[in-house]
């Protein structure tokens, strides 16, 4: 190859299709090594990076997540020079990260099988882009190493306490009203840590009518308080903890059990028969804890109404009488 072509870093920088890849390599401090050593790059195009969720890509570029970015990018780098004519169908190639990719040839087309748990292949859209110290093959998507774990999503420091967050979310107004009726507003402003499973307005509509009417009576203020404290845990419980099966001890010393379905939905199981709340918006951060917004009101066993299952709209018994299928 002629030396006038430029090194790998220069060829990448001069090709508009690899701007995102080049920028990421620079962030990971991997660009300089591409100026001298011999490598083969399976380089995702700008369009390939655009297929990734923007928030996840931005998160990878944060300084504290550099190790994740390096791991991902090194999976696109092969020591030595591998041209199109050198590729063998089904061949496993070890990347700079130490993990392998598999190359598949179908007709004149080359595909890359990576560690993506969802399966599928990346297409090599253009082969043998030459540099004086290697070769670049353009790929249709970003390659994912086997077992790659994404960094935790970045969350800016929260500005509001738990009560203020609840107040600011319009579809939690019924929960807010109940918290105020039960005299629990001060609890949600304390230092914490706390985790709140906050039912939506629609979730309260699903409560059996008789139970709801009873809870709204002044004489049953203690019952209402108990119901709401069943949704509050005196600890930080994030979605990852719940997915890992962590039991949740509530303010009334009763335990909520998590359940992850085959479809990867996350539910919290209450004390009533068939009583589940699906987490629809997880890890809403507050200055004193977290809120998980759920689509069902969790009812302690002691408050179960076995005689009257009519609800104010559609009953949990009719819509949620089947236990979600666990993925375990």
């Amino acid at each position: 190859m002629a030396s006038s072509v430029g090194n790998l870093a220069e060829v990448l920088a001069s090709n508009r299709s690899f701007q995102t890849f080049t920028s990421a390599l620079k962030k990971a401090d991997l660009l300089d090594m591409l100026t001298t050593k011999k490598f083969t790059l399976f380089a995702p195009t700008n369009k390939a990076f655009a297929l990734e969720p923007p928030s996840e890509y931005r998160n990878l570029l944060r300084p504290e997540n550099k190790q994740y970015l390096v791991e991902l990018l090194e999976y696109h780098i092969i020591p030595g020079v591998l041209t199109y004519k050198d590729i063998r169908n089904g061949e496993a190639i070890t990347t700079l990260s130490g993990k392998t990719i598999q190359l598949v040839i179908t007709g004149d087309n080359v595909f890359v099988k990576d560690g993506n748990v969802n399966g599928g292949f990346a297409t090599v859209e253009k082969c043998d882009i030459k540099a004086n110290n290697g070769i670049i093959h353009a790929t249709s998507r970003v390659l994912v190493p086997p077992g790659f774990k994404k960094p935790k999503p970045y969350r800016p420091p929260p500005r509001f306490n738990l009560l203020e967050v609840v107040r600011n979310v319009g579809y939690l107004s019924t929960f807010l009203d109940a918290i105020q009726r039960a005299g629990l507003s001060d609890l949600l402003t304390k230092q914490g840590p706390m985790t709140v499973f906050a039912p939506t307005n629609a979730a309260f509509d699903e409560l059996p009518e008789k139970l709801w009417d009873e809870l709204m009576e002044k004489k049953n203020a203690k019952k209402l308080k108990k119901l709401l404290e069943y949704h509050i845990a005196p600890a930080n419980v994030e979605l990852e903890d719940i997915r890992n099966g962590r039991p949740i001890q509530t303010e009334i010393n009763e335990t909520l059990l998590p359940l992850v379905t085959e479809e990867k939905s996350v539910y919290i199981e209450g004390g009533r028969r068939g009583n589940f709340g699906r987490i629809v918006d997880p890890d809403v951060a507050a200055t004193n804890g977290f809120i998980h917004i759920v689509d069902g009101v969790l009812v302690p066993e002691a408050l179960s109404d076995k005689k009257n299952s009519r609800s104010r709209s559609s009953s949990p018994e009719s819509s949620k009488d089947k236990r979600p299928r666990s993925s375990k």
Side-chain angles (χ1 to χ4, degrees):
M1 289 178 283
S3 59
S4 60
V5 173
N7 61 51
L8 286 165
E10 291 169 336
V11 173
L12 285 173
S14 65
N15 191 317
R16 293 179 60 188
S17 296
F18 298 129
Q19 286 180 338
T20 307
F21 185 52
T22 305
S23 175
L25 288 166
K26 187 175 182 179
K27 278 277 187 182
D29 291 325
L30 294 175
L31 202 56
D32 285 348
M33 75 174 185
L34 300 182
T35 62
T36 54
K37 296 181 180 179
K38 291 186 180 294
F39 291 109
T40 297
L41 306 181
F42 285 89
T45 63
N46 296 336
K47 288 182 179 180
F49 276 98
L51 296 175
E52 302 297 315
S55 60
E56 291 186 6
Y57 176 67
R58 288 195 302 269
N59 195 33
L60 276 172
L61 297 181
R62 295 186 61 80
E64 64 269 25
N65 293 329
K66 182 179 177 181
Q67 67 186 80
Y68 297 94
L69 182 62
V70 169
E71 180 185 356
L72 182 72
L73 295 176
E74 285 186 341
Y75 191 62
H76 295 75
I77 304 173
I78 312 295
V81 180
L82 184 73
T83 65
Y84 173 76
K85 68 179 182 180
D86 297 323
I87 295 173
R88 300 290 177 265
N89 187 34
E91 184 177 11
I93 305 292
T94 302
T95 67
L96 190 61
S97 71
K99 297 180 179 179
T100 61
I101 58 174
Q102 185 180 26
L103 302 177
V104 178
I105 301 174
T106 303
D108 293 330
N109 299 315
V110 180
F111 302 92
V112 185
K113 179 74 174 74
D114 61 359
N116 192 327
V117 294
N118 295 321
F121 294 82
T123 303
V124 177
E125 297 181 333
K126 188 173 182 181
C127 294
D128 290 353
I129 302 171
K130 295 180 180 180
N132 61 29
N133 62 328
I135 287 288
I136 300 170
H137 306 297
T139 63
S140 64
R141 68 170 171 81
V142 177
L143 306 179
V144 181
F148 181 70
K149 293 185 178 179
K150 298 174 184 177
K152 286 187 176 182
Y154 170 69
R155 286 194 295 259
R159 297 169 50 202
F160 303 106
N161 62 42
L162 290 164
L163 183 67
E164 291 169 330
V165 172
V166 170
R167 184 179 291 126
N168 290 337
V169 180
Y171 55 85
L172 297 180
S173 58
T174 305
F175 182 62
L176 175 64
D177 181 58
I179 287 287
Q180 293 169 336
R181 281 173 177 263
L184 291 174
S185 296
D186 287 346
L187 175 63
L188 298 191
T189 63
K190 289 184 178 179
Q191 185 174 352
M194 282 179 283
T195 299
V196 177
F197 295 92
T200 62
N201 293 346
F204 277 98
D205 287 341
E206 295 291 329
L207 272 181
E209 185 177 16
K210 182 179 178 182
L211 174 60
W212 177 253
D213 290 343
E214 287 179 357
L215 290 172
M216 290 298 99
E217 295 177 8
K218 286 186 177 180
K219 66 179 182 180
N220 291 321
K222 288 184 178 180
K223 285 186 178 181
L224 177 62
K225 183 181 179 184
K226 185 172 185 177
L227 174 80
L228 297 172
E229 287 179 331
Y230 191 55
H231 293 75
I232 302 171
N236 278 340
V237 184
E238 298 184 50
L239 182 64
E240 184 177 351
D241 300 318
I242 298 170
R243 285 190 182 280
N244 290 334
R246 174 179 170 179
I248 303 151
Q249 198 72 14
T250 69
E251 282 284 335
I252 61 173
N253 291 321
E254 291 192 21
T255 302
L256 297 171
L257 296 176
L259 180 69
V260 181
T261 68
E262 294 171 352
E263 294 77 22
K264 304 303 179 185
S265 295
V266 180
Y267 289 80
I268 302 297
E269 183 175 6
R272 294 177 66 246
R273 179 180 176 274
N275 179 215
F276 297 93
R278 180 171 60 93
I279 296 178
V280 294
D281 194 358
D283 291 346
V284 180
T287 56
N288 54 341
F290 289 95
I291 294 175
H292 304 291
I293 298 175
V294 294
D295 67 357
V297 178
L298 306 172
V299 182
E301 187 175 3
L303 295 182
S304 296
D305 182 1
K306 298 177 182 178
K307 294 181 180 179
N308 191 331
S309 63
R310 282 189 307 122
S311 71
R312 299 163 67 204
S313 57
S314 59
S315 73
E317 283 74 21
S318 63
S319 61
K320 299 179 184 177
D321 58 347
K322 292 184 179 179
R323 179 182 178 89
R325 290 186 297 168
S326 171
S327 61
K328 296 180 180 179

